[in-house]
Amino acid sequence: MNAPHPAPLPAAAGRPARPARAGTGRPGALASFVRFVVLGGTVGLAASAAVTALATLVPWALANAAVTVASTAAATELHARFTFAGTRSTWRQQMQSAGSAVAAYAVTSAAMAALHACVSAPGVLLAQGVYLSAAALAGLGRFLVLRLVVFAAGRTGPGPRRTPPPTTPPAPAAPAAPVTSAASAASAERPTTHVPRARRSRPGPPLP
């Protein structure tokens, strides 16, 4: 008895989906630092001009506070889009960036206070040198905080999701052949012959 042939495998339904395109990734440390300096310097120059113009309408302290808040928020948004993450900034990132800006301001203020405590009448070149050195050190520290903490790679949101490859459905199992014993299969194939039985003779009457 011949076993039935297994059913053919079904074809895969549709074409496999294309994987999601990976992002371009974060810029390197050197490129990020260059963008940080260029964007930060541009915002700083614009803020200085804005303070000068706004101080003609309101007190200088109020104008400086308003422009500082606006310029810090604008610089954080620019750094989020072009310097570090490539996405829009969040409220958490804005608050952390503002905290780093306050820390940088505290560093420059402490440096100038230490200068005036050590030198009663510092010259212009000495004062500018101390201030620029403190500002450069504070700016470098703020850059590291923004890159490693505020706009870290793992905190800018999930990356592109990968589409898993389609799985081939399992092939249907072939129907099981009927279970027969070897003896019955052999008897079915061999021809059967009828063998007559020999009749038993009955005893006759005794002879005289």
Side-chain angles (χ1 to χ4, degrees):
M1 182 180 296
N2 296 329
H5 296 283
L9 297 176
R15 297 182 178 178
R18 295 182 178 178
R21 296 182 61 184
T24 57
R26 301 177 68 203
L30 181 58
S32 297
F33 184 74
V34 172
R35 297 177 187 182
F36 176 80
V37 172
V38 172
L39 294 177
T42 303
V43 172
L45 293 177
S48 177
V51 169
T52 303
L54 189 60
T56 59
L57 303 176
V58 297
W60 186 89
L62 180 59
N64 185 33
V67 172
T68 299
V69 172
S71 61
T72 302
T76 301
E77 184 66 24
L78 291 175
H79 291 324
R81 289 176 179 267
F82 304 105
T83 305
F84 299 106
T87 57
R88 297 182 59 182
S89 62
T90 62
W91 282 107
R92 178 186 61 81
Q93 293 170 344
Q94 286 284 352
M95 293 298 101
Q96 290 178 341
S97 179
S100 65
V102 171
Y105 176 78
V107 169
T108 54
S109 299
M112 296 304 295
L115 173 63
H116 286 280
C118 296
V119 181
S120 57
V124 176
L125 294 180
L126 180 60
Q128 287 294 324
V130 171
Y131 177 79
L132 292 177
S133 300
L137 181 62
L140 180 60
R142 186 165 184 261
F143 168 78
L144 294 177
V145 169
L146 291 180
R147 179 173 175 82
L148 301 178
V149 179
V150 180
F151 299 107
R155 301 186 181 185
T156 55
R161 300 179 60 183
R162 295 183 178 180
T163 305
T167 56
T168 305
V179 180
T180 57
S181 62
S184 60
S187 62
E189 293 180 359
R190 286 185 296 178
T192 57
T193 57
H194 178 69
V195 179
R197 289 185 177 182
R199 294 185 179 183
R200 184 180 298 179
S201 60
R202 294 182 181 180
L207 297 177

